[in-house]
């Protein structure tokens, strides 16, 4: 695609990056078939190609309106279009730039700005989120059904082994995950402990920054990224093998620290090393699979499981098909899930900011997951887990918990 970016953006780092991405697009439209919002709304402007046109026009200096912002806001950043695109268009990076520019040009009404500030604060502050969740769980029986469904169920942690092995890996605890499902990182610690690997947390590490990024709070997102780099750096220098991440949404963000901080002389090199050390738990377990067989229980696994592959796992981290063989080898029967490439509608803060589209995607996803009559649902991202729970009576757990249950 030919481009002629406006002088105010052309030679900036954002302009150079956006230009290179835009030029790769050949308008073929293959991406339309896998875009969840195009599937729901049928409007070209709610498709990847339509959004690319809107961003191109904006960056070439055409007037920007709330309409441009609406179509970019409706994008889930699921990156299914990246997986489909034969030309390698990095839509995720382009839409990050597009959203930042549109929010500078158009702004948001004061109420919407306040909502985003409060959400950013509540979701990234572990203490405040834990308090709100505790109150929600306490009051669940008095809440209207539609609201009560949205309060995540309790997932008690169980035992978490203390570090004792020479092999050490860091773990990203996350911001909302320790409150919603402490069971996930505890199960991860137990599984890795059996494999001779100890997990250690860096107490100063916090939110990965993805929530702030989704909420136009780019400055806060960069603050979180730098704080995490500072917290992990000395431990990587001291020999920690990797940074294990059990939420694929956070994993996608940490994998991009090197990209986001590449122009910061104080952080570029360290951030690139942090990104290179980041591993989704499915990558860690795949590499250790040789040691798992001897640790599995001999009695057969009974539940039939439907696996929901989060967009961040398959399209963000580009790790499709890593979890399923692990669960099968652990003895689980996996059911067929139609349209497995489609988003469940969670997508960071999307379920709060675009509730109607999110609800429609959730119903669509739950129908697909339940079509094989599974006993339980497994997934790989805390946002998807909590969102799916609000739409199905079936138990929903992280897949590492299923593996933990099968190990001696
Ligand atoms: S990121 Fe997802 S929702 Fe956004 S344009 Fe691409 S496929 Fe559509
Ligand atoms: S598939 Fe890729 S090249 Fe084709 S229209 Fe979509 S983004 Fe452009």
């Amino acid at each position: 695609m030919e481009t002629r970016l406006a002088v105010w953006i052309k030679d900036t780092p954002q302009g150079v990056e956006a230009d290179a991405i835009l030029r790769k697009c050949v308008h073929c439209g293959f991406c339309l078939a896998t875009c969840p919002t195009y599937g729901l709304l049928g409007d070209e402007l709610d498709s990847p190609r339509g959004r690319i046109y809107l961003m191109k026009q904006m960056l070439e200096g055409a007037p920007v309106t709330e309409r441009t912002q609406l179509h970019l806001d409706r994008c889930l950043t699921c990156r299914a279009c990246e997986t489909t695109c034969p030309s390698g268009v990095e839509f995720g990076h382009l839409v990050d730039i597009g959203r930042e520019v549109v929010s500078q040009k158009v702004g948001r009404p004061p109420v919407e700005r306040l909502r985003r500030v409060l959400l950013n604060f509540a979701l990234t502050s572990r203490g405040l989120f834990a308090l709100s969740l505790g109150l929600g769980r306490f009051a669940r029986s008095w809440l209207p059904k539609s609201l009560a469904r949205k309060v995540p169920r309790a997932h008690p942690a169980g035992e978490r082994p203390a570090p004792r092995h020479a092999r050490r890996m860091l773990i990203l605890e996350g911001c909302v995950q320790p409150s919603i499902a402490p069971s996930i990182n505890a199960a991860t610690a137990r599984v890795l402990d059996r494999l001779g690997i100890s997990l250690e947390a860096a107490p100063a590490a916090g939110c990965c920054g993805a929530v702030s990024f989704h909420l136009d709070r780019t400055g806060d997102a960069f603050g979180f990224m730098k704080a995490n780099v500072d917290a992990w750096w000395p431990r990587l220098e001291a020999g920690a093998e990797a940074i294990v991440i059990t939420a694929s949404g956070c994993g996608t963000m940490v994998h991009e620290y090197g990209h986001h901080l590449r122009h910061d002389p104080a952080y570029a090199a360290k951030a690139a090393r942090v990104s290179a050390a980041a591993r989704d738990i499915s990558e860690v377990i795949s590499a250790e699979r040789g040691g798992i067989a001897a640790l599995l229980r001999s009695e057969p696994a009974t539940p039939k499981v439907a696996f929901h592959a989060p967009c961040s796992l398959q399209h963000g981290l580009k790790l499709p098909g890593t979890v399923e063989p692990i669960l099968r080898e652990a003895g689980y029967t996996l059911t067929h899930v139609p349209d497995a490439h489609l988003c469940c509608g969670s997508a960071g803060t999307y379920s709060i900011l675009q509730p109607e589209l999110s609800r429609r995607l959730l119903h669509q996803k739950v129908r697909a997951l339940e079509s094989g009559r599974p006993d339980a649902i497994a997934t790989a991202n805390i946002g998807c887990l909590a969102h799916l729970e609000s739409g199905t009576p079936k138990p929903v757990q992280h897949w590492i918990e299923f593996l933990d249950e099968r190990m001696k």
Side-chain angles (χ1 to χ4, degrees):
M1 176 187 291
E2 260 190 51
T3 56
R4 228 171 278 199
L5 262 53
V7 279
W8 52 266
I9 185 118
K10 197 167 142 230
D11 296 320
T12 64
Q14 280 187 322
V16 171
E17 187 186 6
D19 197 41
I21 300 173
L22 286 168
R23 281 170 177 271
K24 284 188 187 166
C25 177
V26 295
H27 323 248
C28 64
F30 286 170
C31 51
L32 272 64
T34 52
C35 174
T37 55
Y38 182 68
L40 285 183
L41 302 167
D43 181 344
E44 169 87 18
L45 294 179
D46 285 308
S47 78
R49 188 173 61 182
R51 290 178 176 124
I52 287 171
Y53 280 133
L54 286 174
M55 288 187 273
K56 176 179 181 287
Q57 284 168 355
M58 174 174 74
L59 298 173
E60 288 183 337
V64 189
T65 65
E66 279 90 4
R67 203 159 156 249
T68 314
Q69 190 170 45
L70 173 71
H71 292 297
L72 296 192
D73 280 351
R74 280 186 189 155
C75 168
L76 296 137
T77 329
C78 68
R79 293 164 72 169
C81 47
E82 283 190 17
T83 301
T84 322
C85 176
S87 303
V89 171
E90 291 166 302
F91 185 87
H93 288 162
L94 182 64
V95 82
D96 282 347
I97 296 170
R99 285 197 179 120
E100 202 178 336
V101 173
V102 86
S103 98
Q104 286 159 7
K105 299 245 168 227
V106 178
R108 293 191 187 273
V111 174
E112 184 54 30
R113 280 208 308 274
L114 180 66
R115 182 158 83 128
R116 285 168 180 256
V117 169
L118 293 176
L119 265 179
N120 184 47
F121 187 57
L123 293 176
T124 60
S125 153
R126 249 183 234 166
L128 187 58
F129 183 80
L131 181 68
S132 323
L133 180 63
L135 288 173
R137 281 177 175 158
F138 175 74
R140 193 197 323 252
S141 47
W142 298 295
L143 293 173
K145 258 193 189 156
S146 57
L147 207 56
R149 263 202 309 269
K150 292 197 166 134
V151 180
R153 299 163 203 161
H155 296 258
E159 188 208 342
R160 184 162 172 162
R164 63 188 173 118
H165 299 294
R167 287 188 69 188
R168 285 174 300 116
M169 293 184 182
L170 295 164
I171 178 122
L172 169 67
E173 296 289 357
C175 47
V176 299
Q177 184 167 300
S179 307
I180 298 178
S183 53
I184 298 173
N185 285 351
T188 304
R190 290 193 292 272
V191 169
L192 291 183
D193 182 69
R194 294 177 187 112
L195 291 164
I197 301 167
S198 285
L199 281 183
E200 58 174 280
C207 175
C208 66
V211 168
S212 306
F213 227 88
H214 283 291
L215 291 167
D216 297 346
R217 311 281 306 168
T218 325
D220 291 343
F222 276 91
F224 284 123
M225 288 183 224
K226 290 179 186 176
N228 288 344
V229 171
D230 288 339
W232 289 325
W233 182 257
R235 291 167 192 260
L236 287 174
E237 288 281 89
E241 284 179 41
I243 303 161
V244 182
I245 302 170
T246 52
S248 55
C250 307
T252 303
M253 188 72 198
V254 178
H255 266 275
E256 307 229 309
Y257 279 12
H259 174 82
H260 291 306
L261 292 169
R262 68 195 183 286
H263 297 301
D264 187 322
Y267 280 91
K270 288 182 182 177
R273 174 147 173 225
V274 161
S275 290
R279 298 274 181 285
D280 184 76
I281 181 63
S282 63
E283 293 177 276
V284 178
I285 296 298
S286 295
E288 304 291 331
R289 250 154 88 186
I292 290 180
L295 297 168
L296 291 174
R297 294 179 193 282
S298 51
E299 66 271 24
T302 41
K304 267 204 307 182
V305 177
F307 178 62
H308 165 60
C311 303
S312 43
L313 186 73
Q314 42 178 335
H315 310 304
L317 292 170
K318 319 275 187 230
L319 292 173
T322 47
V323 172
E324 293 88 333
I326 301 172
L327 288 177
R328 283 197 191 96
E329 279 173 33
Y332 290 102
T333 303
L334 294 192
T335 61
H336 171 68
V337 180
D339 294 325
H341 63 282
L342 285 179
C343 181
C344 67
S346 168
T349 51
Y350 195 89
S351 57
I352 303 168
L353 299 174
Q354 299 288 336
E356 174 55 25
L357 288 177
S358 169
R359 192 184 54 75
R360 288 169 68 186
L361 288 168
L362 173 65
H363 288 168
Q364 200 172 279
K365 180 57 71 179
V366 166
R367 232 187 355 261
L369 286 165
E370 290 182 347
S371 64
R373 301 185 178 279
D375 303 302
I377 295 169
T379 188
N381 186 48
I382 186 65
C384 307
L385 186 152
H387 192 56
L388 291 172
E389 269 192 341
S390 70
T392 176
K394 297 203 182 285
V396 187
Q397 287 177 288
H398 193 287
W399 67 266
I400 195 73
E401 298 177 78
F402 286 93
L403 178 60
D404 178 48
E405 282 163 23
R406 292 288 298 144
M407 291 176 88
K408 295 185 260 202

